[in-house]
Amino acid sequence: MTESPAPHDAPDMPELFTWEFASDPYPAYAWLREHAPVHRTTLPSGVEAWLVTRYADARQALADQRLSKNPDHHDEPSHAKGKTGIPGERKAELMTHLLNIDPPDHTRLRRLVSKAFTPRRVAEFAPRVQELTDRLIDEFAAKGEADLIHDFAFPLPIYAICDLLGVPREDQDDFRDWAGMMVRHGKGPRGGVARSVKLIRNYLADLIHRKRAALDESDGSDDLISGLIRASDHGEHLTENEAAAMCFVLLLAGFETTVNLIGNGTYALLRNHEQMQEFRTTVARGDTAVLDTAVEELLRFDGPVEFATWRFATQPLELAGQHIAKGEPVLVVLAAANRDPARFDHPDVLDLDRRTNPHLGYGHGIHYCLGAPLARLEARTALATLLGRIPDLALAADPADLRWRGGLIMRGLRTLPVTFTAQPVGTCQETS
Ligand code: HEM
């Protein structure tokens, strides 16, 4: 693995991308912030990239228009070919989505999707998220044990996004399987990811086609896909290809992220007893504003998106005094920036009361998370309901034995085994 040299007087650089690093990358990020804040490394995939770890530099890089999101700007050597995106994305003609494009195309597509994916649509969705959350907890509450990733954090966002998009209920389990194949890439063959991308692509193309036909017959429903088809900007509509890529990015960006926010958030609370107590008290009081502050802190402390998505220098530039050549990839390490002591007091402490919390967990600049209102709704509902309904939830594994997923961008647990007092069937308690 190639690393840019550290200053001679610095202690040895910790190894990146090992098992130990995956369990707790924060000491390595502290080292990088201090000794090599813009650091060139070779990733496990063989691709060379710059890692940006300080808060101020991260914020600057996220908003820097000289860093393109379009992978065609990657000056890629042959060994790095196609390793910076989702396997199968190019073949499935899904490249033209928000996370791969720059203005003016990005501006147009973001404006169009914002017309359909409105805060009102998300707010109206709240009862459905609550219903899904209760149903999933009902399914394991009587057992006295669960794997919170498999039984709860994983199914909730996938069913939620399916409902929001307008995927018929009878197809949602297929969708859940394909999405599962897509996120298991840390473990399974990369070919499996490409296959699931293709299956999702074909399904979405067909569904969009059917919804467009229903709209032509004035029979369209009020789901997000129908909204996307209807949305127009100066008389321009999304093409069917663009609509498929848009649905794909909503699924891609909105699924594993939320799984990990629920998983990492619950795990952080299970390991911080005082903060867990405080969280439960807030839930019992039904204080939504305090709950929202707490969820933001969980996102800062151990958020689901460890690295922002790929960026490529479109011209030679300097970042924190480091020269970056045209075509070189830059990865902003959100997890490192969110623990920068230059921006956050006691950054390694989980403080659910933290009021000033300008974390970068949802990114910054024009690619700032489009789904943040939905993510907040899902995370708040999931955590408040789970911890409100199951007061004695306890970790059923040694933290050292827990395994983290191996992907580059996301940070999340593979499993989160818990035990609790089994609840008799049908004892759904009052929750926030
Ligand atoms: C806890 C959950 C979530 C987190 C932490 C999160 C985080 C992020 C981050 C960091 C970015 C910026 C990436 C970059 O600049 O490289 C982003 C973009 C995006 N997110 Fe989220 N996200 C979450 C949930 C969602 C949900 C639920 C949706 C929608 C269903 C969504 C849709 C998007 C989209 C479409 C973009 C691209 C926006 C653009 O390029 O203009 N996200 N998200």
Side-chain angles (χ1 to χ4, degrees):
M1 197 174 292
T2 317
E3 309 285 357
S4 60
H8 330 288
D9 54 349
D12 282 352
M13 184 181 153
E15 220 182 316
L16 305 177
F17 312 116
T18 59
W19 275 114
E20 294 71 31
F21 171 81
S23 310
D24 182 8
Y26 296 104
Y29 290 151
W31 192 97
L32 285 175
R33 271 193 316 263
E34 189 170 344
H35 301 290
V38 178
H39 173 70
R40 188 172 169 85
T41 191
T42 306
L43 303 168
S45 61
V47 178
E48 294 202 10
W50 292 97
L51 304 184
V52 180
T53 45
R54 284 186 186 160
Y55 182 90
D57 301 335
R59 219 175 121 88
Q60 185 189 328
L62 289 172
D64 193 329
Q65 300 276 312
R66 295 169 302 173
L67 291 174
S68 167
K69 299 286 298 111
N70 182 343
D72 290 343
H73 285 288
H74 187 190
D75 184 8
E76 57 188 341
S78 55
H79 70 269
K81 276 257 174 286
K83 289 191 176 161
T84 57
I86 309 289
E89 193 182 34
R90 197 177 284 275
K91 216 167 162 194
E93 295 177 47
L94 289 170
M95 289 299 283
T96 53
H97 65 65
L98 292 173
L99 283 169
N100 279 340
I101 56 175
D102 301 316
D105 291 341
H106 177 269
T107 322
R108 182 179 71 87
L109 290 185
R110 177 121 184 176
R111 212 185 288 137
L112 275 166
V113 67
S114 303
K115 289 187 179 179
F117 195 11
T118 57
R120 202 180 115 216
R121 187 183 290 277
V122 173
E124 285 172 358
F125 196 51
R128 176 64 185 145
V129 173
Q130 184 66 60
E131 190 187 315
L132 273 172
T133 305
D134 278 317
R135 195 192 80 203
L136 290 168
I137 298 175
D138 286 344
E139 281 171 17
F140 62 75
K143 295 185 191 153
E145 59 177 21
D147 169 7
L148 283 184
I149 301 298
H150 180 268
D151 299 333
F152 187 56
F154 179 84
L156 178 60
I158 194 71
Y159 290 132
I161 194 74
C162 280
D163 272 354
L164 196 72
L165 287 172
V167 173
R169 296 269 159 92
E170 62 273 19
D171 296 344
Q172 293 192 359
D173 284 332
D174 282 343
F175 224 80
R176 177 185 161 150
D177 291 347
W178 302 331
M181 276 158 70
M182 211 163 80
V183 302
R184 270 194 290 274
H185 50 89
K187 211 158 126 197
R190 282 172 71 84
V193 183
R195 205 170 91 76
S196 58
V197 168
K198 193 171 163 204
L199 287 165
I200 291 173
R201 161 63 164 117
N202 291 347
Y203 179 83
L204 286 173
D206 182 54
L207 186 63
I208 290 166
H209 198 70
R210 280 187 280 140
K211 290 205 182 266
R212 190 188 286 280
L215 279 181
D216 288 345
E217 289 161 22
S218 317
D219 190 24
S221 46
D222 187 35
D223 52 57
L224 184 54
I225 292 187
S226 305
L228 280 172
I229 298 170
R230 269 194 224 105
S232 80
D233 189 29
H234 298 103
E236 252 193 275
H237 291 79
L238 290 173
T239 63
E240 286 199 7
N241 244 354
E242 284 173 338
M246 188 66 82
C247 295
F248 179 69
V249 76
L250 289 173
L251 175 71
L252 183 75
F255 165 50
E256 197 179 351
T257 45
T258 313
V259 175
N260 294 346
L261 177 54
I262 299 170
N264 298 3
T266 312
Y267 178 63
L269 289 171
L270 287 169
R271 298 200 65 196
N272 288 271
H273 295 287
E274 261 179 44
Q275 298 291 300
M276 175 65 107
Q277 249 347 90
E278 188 181 326
F279 192 87
R280 288 191 203 286
T281 311
T282 310
V283 171
R285 277 203 317 264
D287 192 336
T288 326
V290 181
L291 214 51
D292 287 345
T293 305
V295 172
E296 291 306 297
E297 171 65 351
L298 290 170
L299 221 153
R300 181 200 69 82
F301 182 72
D302 201 6
V305 184
E306 190 164 350
F307 292 63
T309 52
W310 294 90
R311 286 168 164 75
F312 307 95
T314 55
Q315 53 182 276
L317 56 101
E318 294 263 315
L319 188 57
Q322 186 70 60
H323 178 78
I324 296 178
K326 182 176 176 202
E328 287 181 345
V330 173
L331 286 167
V332 176
V333 190
L334 303 177
N338 283 340
R339 297 270 191 121
D340 187 343
R343 188 64 191 86
F344 299 95
D345 292 338
H346 309 294
D348 294 322
V349 173
L350 176 69
D351 173 7
L352 297 185
D353 269 337
R354 196 182 287 272
R355 302 284 147 161
T356 310
N357 195 351
H359 67 76
L360 298 177
Y362 288 119
H364 171 65
I366 61 168
H367 293 278
Y368 180 83
C369 180
L370 179 78
L374 176 62
R376 290 186 170 114
L377 168 71
E378 287 183 44
R380 179 185 354 116
T381 311
L383 292 170
T385 311
L386 178 72
L387 300 172
R389 279 186 60 180
I390 306 188
D392 62 348
L393 197 73
L395 192 59
D398 182 337
D401 294 334
L402 291 175
R403 289 286 165 257
W404 295 78
R405 288 186 192 282
L408 181 66
I409 305 289
M410 305 281 181
R411 169 165 174 76
L413 286 161
R414 285 190 195 285
T415 57
L416 182 53
V418 290
T419 50
F420 50 88
T421 307
Q423 300 184 358
V425 181
T427 52
C428 181
Q429 294 168 12
E430 194 66 20
T431 50
S432 70

